[in-house]
């Protein structure tokens, strides 16, 4: 499990005064990048070194409560291996002050060979980062 | 069924040279706004007149192919009534040139009373717009 | 002079119900891309063919009136050559319905050799596109 | 002078692998919000309490160097009073690691009465926040 606190800003909200919902997925990706950073790696250079692409193949979220303008949130990631080639980032978004759950869902990522465009096993270096996050509490 | 053509821009793509995936949901909402416009209504004023909020409660997409930088797409909406209070916008995103399917999913919207914050039946004026889209081909 | 109509969407506005101001610059870039398209070219492939980068080096805007949610605007571009290596896109943003001026400013772009990272003269193919726009009315 | 460190993310970059330039202005506004927060206030509630609007009337930036993907930056704000009704946020954006200057400019904000839509003096509570930042080092 990996968790990161994110401050929301005026630029994230819509005319209803709440965070515009596609930004929830943006915050989940910020958390993914911080998960790599917490393991001592930058995601993009690591991906490039391993000659892999990691396209998103599915995304889902249930939105339970709005994120109010100016709120800080916590994004909690539970990455799961789904076979040899796929990572599913299960996520929850919590209000930082109240710990109330605001949203939950997942984003699924598949490893693709950057030269031949075929799916491939998750490179060991990336698998290690994910396992590092899984074993954290 | 309702369909709208959308031109993608440099501002929509990420460092992989393809449309950043949360923008797929943004395009689906552009299509929803155009669906109202095609029925002769602006979505937001209509919502406000009917003292209703229409928060998104779920969103899902499968991403089959990337949207390349500079591509035009077509967003196809098939709105479904799910009970008295809920609209589910089933969507497909197609490449405008090849008609290849790039993504498909849904966004679910619930009607909420803007004063008492309780779910409520879809107002007739909004139901009419959706039915207008359903009966189009 | 080149002009393009742009429909604004819910995703463009902030909690004040008006277009979030950095998006004005995004719309100016959409107009620039359409200026190339109107000359029969896609901007990015043309840039790459000419082994040039065109980084933005300055941007300015005066904001006279807000762009209301749901408004359509017109972005008017008057590109100027400033010496051999620089294009300055003077722009105005007008309300599409009333033609009222909402904003005006400029974005300055310099041509840089994509291999040696030195400024270089504007390639002829790009100069032609700009001249095509200049001679339009 | 007020300074805040901002981590950039994949969602901020364009297909050139550098931060998309309208996001520079977004980061400046994040810094402005943090300036208020550092003075113990949230910007938006404070604005609403004082029945004022603070529209942006001008924005300018010179872009000296790109912000590379994954870089952390520091946004440095030097807010200036320009008469009784206007604040000009002079800013610099620095690379967090090297302290190299990447961009510099300003954003000008005018106080407007939220009921009568006329310009008005900066409310004392907001003036205090700005002075608090001016006296910091």
């Amino acid at each position: 499990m990996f968790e990161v606190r994110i401050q929301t800003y005026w630029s994230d909200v819509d005319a209803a005064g709440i965070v515009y919902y596609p930004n929830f997925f943006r915050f989940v990706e910020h958390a993914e990048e911080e998960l790599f950073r917490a393991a001592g790696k930058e995601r993009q250079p690591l991906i490039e070194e391993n000659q892999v692409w990691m396209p998103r193949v599915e995304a889902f979220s249930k939105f339970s409560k709005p994120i109010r303008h100016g709120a800080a949130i916590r994004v909690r990631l539970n990455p799961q291996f789904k076979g040899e080639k796929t990572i599913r980032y299960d996520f929850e978004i919590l209000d930082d002050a109240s710990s109330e759950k605001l949203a939950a869902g997942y984003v699924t990522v598949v490893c693709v060979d950057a030269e031949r465009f075929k799916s491939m096993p998750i490179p060991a270096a990336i698998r290690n980062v994910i396992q590092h996050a899984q074993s954290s509490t």
Side-chain angles (χ1 to χ4, degrees), chain A:
Chain A
M1 202 268 282
F2 177 77
E3 198 177 274
V4 64
R5 182 184 184 280
I6 296 174
Q7 175 64 50
T8 69
Y9 290 101
W10 182 256
S11 61
D12 299 317
V13 297
D14 63 20
I18 59 175
V19 170
Y20 183 57
Y21 87 90
N23 286 329
F24 285 61
F25 292 109
R26 193 164 62 84
F27 294 149
V28 170
E29 189 155 4
H30 291 190
E32 183 194 350
E33 290 181 61
E34 293 298 342
L35 179 155
F36 278 76
R37 200 164 274 133
K41 304 286 181 184
E42 291 285 315
R43 187 186 65 161
Q44 193 56 20
L46 188 65
I47 284 176
E48 289 173 12
E49 282 165 28
N50 284 278
Q51 292 171 284
V52 66
W53 283 355
M54 297 183 72
R56 282 68 281 253
V57 296
E58 275 189 12
F60 170 75
S61 187
K62 194 172 181 331
F63 308 106
S64 311
K65 300 258 179 180
I67 306 178
R68 297 277 163 205
H69 170 254
I73 57 171
R74 294 201 306 277
V75 179
R76 190 175 282 175
L77 290 185
N78 276 299
Q80 312 286 333
F81 294 114
K82 295 288 165 185
E84 290 292 299
K85 302 170 174 176
T86 300
I87 301 164
R88 199 186 70 203
Y89 291 100
D90 292 347
F91 68 82
E92 290 184 330
I93 298 181
L94 312 174
D95 184 78
D96 186 46
S98 69
S99 293
E100 191 175 24
K101 185 155 71 176
L102 306 176
Y106 60 84
V107 175
T108 308
V109 175
V110 169
C111 288
V112 173
D113 184 301
E115 284 192 4
R116 292 174 303 162
F117 310 116
K118 303 238 166 193
S119 66
M120 59 173 273
I122 302 160
I126 290 168
R127 182 171 285 274
N128 288 346
V129 168
I130 301 299
Q131 285 171 337
H132 181 271
Q134 287 176 328
S135 60
S136 304
T137 50

